[in-house]
Each structure stands twice: as structure tokens, then as C-alpha cells.
Amino acid sequence: MDNDIAGLLKSKLEKLETLYKYTQNISDALKKDDTEELLKILNSRQRLMEEVDSLDGQLLSFFEGNIDAFKEYIADDSKMFKAAYDNIGVFLKKIQQLDDENTAVMQKLFSKLKDDISNLKQAENALKGYGIIGKSARDGAFIDTKK
């Protein structure tokens, strides 16, 4: 059982290190305004998070789903388990901090996109008013550009 738990903790730590790298890549994509790359990274990150959840389920299965028994086992057992468990906590905190920063940037990006969509709708309504949209391409239209 100890070897299984050690292997699962090691695997979880490796996946969390990769998850942290994905989170850093999300920050880079946000800085570049590269939404296509952002979506790819988010999909990969989601799959990795599902793998981490699966590992958590496997770990808890040794303790019949009792998280308190798991924590007690880690605290009472060898320092190897405790070190891995502590490192997992450190990476989770780093990921959370970076996620909070990314969320703030994404909210600004979504606000900008919302404004752009609103401006496009206004332009569409103006073009409909001038009769440009909804008529055949052969019909001409005069657009008054004076202010």
C-alpha cells in the first residue's frame, strides 16, 4: 500500500508541475492576445485536471473516501510522504495565485470583446438603416460621412 500511495503522490506532483506550466502558458497567451493558443492550452489543462482528479480518487480509495484518514496517514507516516504532500500544496498555491491573475486579465479581455460585439451590432444597425444590408449587391447606397 505504501508503494502505491507513494507512486500516486509522485504522479500527482508531476501532473501539478505540468499544470503550473500550462497556467504560465495561459498567462503568456493572454499577454499576446492569442485566443486560439489560449483555447488549446485551456483544453489541454482541463484534460490534465481530470487526470489529477482521477489520481485523487485513487488515493482516497485506499481510505474509503475519508480525507481525514488520508491526512492522518500522511502525517503519521514517513517523511517521504509528507514531503510529497507538502510539495503538492506548494504547487497548488502557486497555480491558484497565477489563476487569480489570469482570471483578472481574462475578465478585461471579455469586457473588451463585449464592447467590440456591441460596436459591431451598432454598425450593422446603421448599415441596415442606410439600406446596405438586406439589398442586392447591385443596388447603390449613399452614406453621409459629415459630422
Side-chain angles (χ1 to χ4, degrees), residues 119-130:
N119 290 339
L120 286 173
K121 285 183 180 181
Q122 288 177 351
E124 178 187 19
N125 289 337
L127 292 174
K128 281 181 183 177
Y130 285 117

Side-chain angles (χ1 to χ4, degrees), residues 15-143:
K15 290 189 184 304
L16 287 177
E17 289 172 358
T18 304
L19 189 65
Y20 182 69
K21 289 177 186 173
Y22 281 156
T23 308
Q24 289 174 324
N25 292 342
I26 289 170
S27 294
D28 295 340
L30 286 170
K31 288 176 186 172
K32 296 177 187 175
D33 282 337
D34 189 353
T35 54
E36 207 171 299
E37 182 68 20
L38 179 63
L39 291 175
K40 289 178 189 176
I41 298 168
L42 286 172
N43 286 330
S44 298
R45 185 175 187 258
Q46 181 61 38
R47 284 192 300 275
L48 188 62
M49 288 173 66
E50 290 168 1
E51 292 174 20
V52 170
D53 286 344
S54 173
L55 287 173
D56 285 341
Q58 292 173 23
L59 280 169
L60 287 177
S61 69
F62 287 110
F63 303 94
E64 299 174 359
N66 186 346
I67 188 115
D68 292 328
F70 171 70
K71 288 179 182 179
E72 186 177 313
Y73 178 80
I74 295 296
D76 289 344
D77 213 77
S78 72
K79 292 185 179 186
M80 178 183 72
F81 287 160
K82 183 70 173 151
Y85 187 74
D86 290 344
N87 286 336
I88 287 170
V90 167
F91 268 101
L92 287 174
K93 287 178 184 175
K94 286 181 178 180
I95 291 168
Q96 180 64 44
Q97 181 182 10
L98 202 49
D99 268 345
D100 290 344
E101 293 170 10
N102 289 344
T103 300
V105 173
M106 277 192 233
Q107 287 175 343
K108 290 178 186 175
L109 177 65
F110 287 138
S111 176
K112 180 183 172 225
L113 289 173
K114 186 177 176 183
D115 291 342
D116 289 346
I117 289 171
S118 175
N119 290 339
L120 286 173
K121 285 183 180 181
Q122 288 177 351
E124 178 187 19
N125 289 337
L127 292 174
K128 281 181 183 177
Y130 285 117
I132 294 175
I133 295 179
K135 293 195 174 192
S136 68
R138 286 179 254 138
D139 294 340
F142 173 76
I143 298 176

